[in-house]
Amino acid sequence: MSSNKGTTAASDAKKISWITLAFMAFSTVWGFGNVVNGFGYFNGTQVIFSWIMMFALYFVPYALMVGELGSAFKNAGGGVTSWVLETTNPKLAYYAGYTYWVVHIPYIASKGSGGLKALAWMFLRNEWYDSLPSWQVQLATGIVFVFFLWVASKGLQPLKALTSLAGSSMFVMSLLYIVMMFAAPMINPSATYVPLDWSWEHLIPQFNVQYFTSLSILVFAVGGCEKISPYVNKVNNPGKDFPKGMIALAIMVMVCAILGTIAMGMMIPAAEITGDAQKLFIANGAYECFQKLGEYYHVGNFFVVVYGACNAIGQFSTLVLSIDAPLRMLLDDESARQFVPKNLLKQNKHGAYINGIILIGILSGSIIAIQLLGSSAADIIAWLTKLNSVCMPMRYLWVFFAYIMLRKVGNKFHSDYTFVKNKNLAIFIGGWCFFVTAACCLLGVYQEGDVLRTVLNILMPFVLLALGLIMPAIRKKQDEAEKAVLH
């Protein structure tokens, strides 16, 4: 009896509270860049309306669906790929894993630019870097990219800890910005602040073409909570405490989005963020905010240097992990490996999938080369931000697909937590989130007044996804050729 009690006590000690879960999810999902992008693309404080709608109609049900999926498949370690495998078949599971991997290709291409931008703000105060022609910026980005491909081929695991540390510090800086900005008028009342207009006309956005083609930015911002699915059954009482944690997460994200937007509105007139100024703000807005915060507190560029250092470490370590981790998730999975060309399964002495890394080099390198069409460093970063907002949310489609399939099979899988008890309503909500994600990705490809970039934004995801259809055909031919040799 005493042994059983001891085991139970040890098990309970390993459980986490719903508050801890909420903070873990918050640091995974949210970042200061989301506030900057929302402010830049949605006319300043007008984005508050859109944030509230996005949280209520998309993010909350998304997070709670992830909770149910994680609870139903608590022993499945492959995340979305495992959920699709359990509810459908290996071929669809491969497509889910492939999508998760391939949407990181534009993301990887953007990390080098983001890291160099952070270093420029740390050491050069950015003016010199932004004045460089695009070929010099992309040459530097290409060199950085090749170097980190080499680092990834060495299978360096300590970078995970470095990425986690950088992510935590960025999270702290995001919260610090809000607190210090609201305190600034009391500390330095003589400084210049932007008066906020709280009239109804100013708060409600204009529902025009630019508005709807920018919604992918908000979907991209609130996505990714499926990463915390392994922790669903580590919560004290999954049925009650997990939804509490997810609702707390939604409230925390919403509060930070709104307060961050208000703080930014006190610094920067939204009317100034139009045309080329919008691109400059998307690329440099976060640094400008911390620079201005330093002026309010009479500490010069101290906050810019700290934020730039945190961001540079975060961008470069995330670059390596984004090369390595999604590739491993795809190629380590037994259900997916049978559809992948055998050449990609080759590993070097460090355990890295060397041909897979070379393929990433070719695909992401092509995107870096295409960015030579950009006019400046700021223009390139703004373009990549929009491209990522189109590509990255495509992986969320598989989350909603897996949820719909889970609810269709009824009681086949036991879950300690159920988002919605009514089966038809649950399937409708899953379908709604699938539709919102797909619509925002499709609308996001449009670049107003720029036909070339619109075409490129359509072609890039199309080519990347088409490659996933070709791979199983190549593997089938390889298997048939082997069988022919054996016979």
Side-chain angles (χ1 to χ4, degrees):
M1 290 290 288
S2 60
S3 175
N4 288 339
K5 283 182 181 177
T7 304
T8 304
S11 176
D12 289 342
K14 292 179 181 177
K15 295 284 187 178
I16 59 176
S17 69
W18 62 269
I19 297 173
T20 304
L21 180 81
F23 276 105
M24 287 168 61
F26 183 50
S27 60
T28 301
V29 170
W30 196 244
F32 188 60
N34 296 328
V35 181
V36 174
N37 291 339
F39 194 89
Y41 279 104
F42 291 88
N43 197 27
T45 51
Q46 282 187 1
V47 74
I48 292 172
F49 171 87
S50 303
W51 278 130
I52 293 170
M53 296 299 290
M54 186 59 70
F55 291 132
L57 299 178
Y58 184 82
F59 181 57
V60 172
Y62 170 24
L64 296 178
M65 278 186 265
V66 164
E68 186 172 344
L69 283 161
S71 181
F73 306 114
K74 49 180 159 292
N75 298 318
V80 180
T81 309
S82 297
W83 300 342
V84 175
L85 177 64
E86 294 288 340
T87 54
T88 56
N89 57 62
K91 189 70 170 284
L92 286 175
Y94 155 73
Y95 287 129
Y98 176 82
T99 305
Y100 189 91
W101 168 69
V102 84
V103 297
H104 280 80
I105 297 297
Y107 185 70
I108 289 165
S110 70
K111 291 291 106 178
S113 298
L116 289 173
K117 170 68 71 173
L119 292 176
W121 272 96
M122 273 183 72
F123 299 113
L124 306 169
R125 303 298 173 260
N126 192 60
E127 291 85 356
W128 176 80
Y129 184 73
D130 260 2
S131 67
L132 292 175
S134 60
W135 72 267
Q136 292 183 13
V137 173
Q138 291 309 90
L139 177 62
T141 302
I143 292 169
V144 167
F145 176 58
V146 170
F147 171 74
F148 283 108
L149 284 173
W150 174 78
V151 172
S153 72
K154 300 301 177 185
L156 298 176
Q157 294 301 310
L159 281 167
K160 289 184 179 179
L162 188 63
T163 306
S164 178
L165 177 65
S168 301
S169 62
M170 288 287 284
F171 166 64
V172 171
M173 291 294 287
S174 300
L175 298 180
L176 191 68
Y177 170 77
I178 294 171
V179 172
M180 296 193 73
M181 187 54 220
F182 278 106
M186 292 179 278
I187 303 292
N188 187 3
S190 61
T192 304
Y193 303 98
V194 179
L196 294 175
D197 184 352
W198 295 108
S199 64
W200 185 254
E201 293 79 10
H202 189 76
L203 288 176
I204 301 300
Q206 293 180 0
F207 298 104
N208 52 22
V209 172
Q210 185 179 347
Y211 179 86
F212 288 106
T213 55
S214 298
L215 283 175
S216 59
I217 293 287
L218 301 187
V219 171
F220 179 34
V222 299
C225 62
E226 64 272 8
K227 292 176 184 176
I228 61 152
S229 60
Y231 301 100
V232 175
N233 292 285
K234 293 183 180 179
V235 181
N236 288 320
N237 184 344
K240 290 184 179 179
D241 286 355
F242 187 82
K244 275 187 192 175
M246 291 298 95
I247 291 167
L249 163 66
I251 292 170
M252 287 160 62
V253 170
M254 187 162 65
V255 168
C256 279
I258 292 170
L259 292 183
T261 301
I262 293 170
M264 209 165 282
M266 293 166 63
M267 276 186 172
I268 298 159
E272 295 180 2
I273 310 174
T274 56
D276 288 340
Q278 185 188 59
K279 295 175 184 177
L280 287 168
F281 182 77
I282 297 302
N284 302 307
Y287 305 99
E288 290 171 0
C289 287
F290 278 101
Q291 187 177 50
K292 219 164 181 69
L293 199 64
E295 291 172 10
Y296 292 151
Y297 282 83
H298 303 296
V299 292
N301 287 303
F302 173 74
F303 292 129
V304 177
V305 172
V306 173
Y307 181 80
C310 294
N311 202 14
I313 295 168
Q315 295 277 350
F316 290 136
S317 54
T318 302
L319 170 57
V320 178
L321 280 185
S322 296
I323 292 168
D324 184 67
L327 186 64
R328 286 184 186 276
M329 286 179 69
L330 175 67
L331 301 183
D332 282 348
D333 187 85
E334 288 302 323
S335 64
R337 287 170 69 92
Q338 62 184 305
F339 301 106
V340 176
K342 292 188 175 181
N343 317 55
L344 292 179
L345 301 177
K346 180 183 176 183
Q347 292 177 277
N348 63 13
K349 63 181 181 180
H350 303 290
Y353 289 100
I354 189 65
N355 288 336
I357 290 172
I358 292 170
L359 178 60
I360 290 171
I362 294 167
L363 295 173
S364 292
S366 299
I367 292 174
I368 290 171
I370 290 169
Q371 301 304 313
L372 286 168
L373 297 171
S375 58
S376 65
D379 181 45
I380 289 165
I381 288 176
W383 186 2
L384 285 169
T385 300
K386 195 70 188 294
L387 180 62
N388 277 315
S389 78
V390 171
C391 292
M392 287 296 272
M394 288 179 181
R395 59 190 172 138
Y396 313 151
L397 292 171
W398 288 104
V399 175
F400 306 127
F401 172 79
Y403 183 74
I404 293 167
M405 292 298 105
L406 171 67
R407 296 309 298 262
K408 276 192 170 183
V409 298
N411 299 320
K412 184 179 177 182
F413 302 100
H414 170 71
S415 176
D416 293 327
Y417 160 65
T418 304
F419 166 38
V420 176
K421 290 186 178 179
N422 184 284
K423 176 181 173 180
N424 292 330
L425 179 59
I427 291 172
F428 172 79
I429 296 172
W432 162 255
C433 288
F434 187 99
F435 167 76
V436 169
T437 308
C440 289
C441 288
L442 288 171
L443 290 169
V445 302
Y446 179 67
Q447 291 278 107
E448 193 170 5
D450 196 328
V451 176
L452 177 61
R453 289 196 182 183
T454 299
V455 171
L456 288 171
N457 287 349
I458 294 169
L459 283 177
M460 284 182 201
F462 177 79
V463 169
L464 293 175
L465 292 175
L467 182 61
L469 299 174
I470 296 168
M471 280 187 179
I474 295 172
R475 177 58 184 266
K476 188 178 179 182
K477 284 190 175 182
Q478 289 176 337
D479 290 341
E480 287 172 353
E482 280 191 4
K483 284 180 183 177
V485 170
L486 290 172
H487 287 88

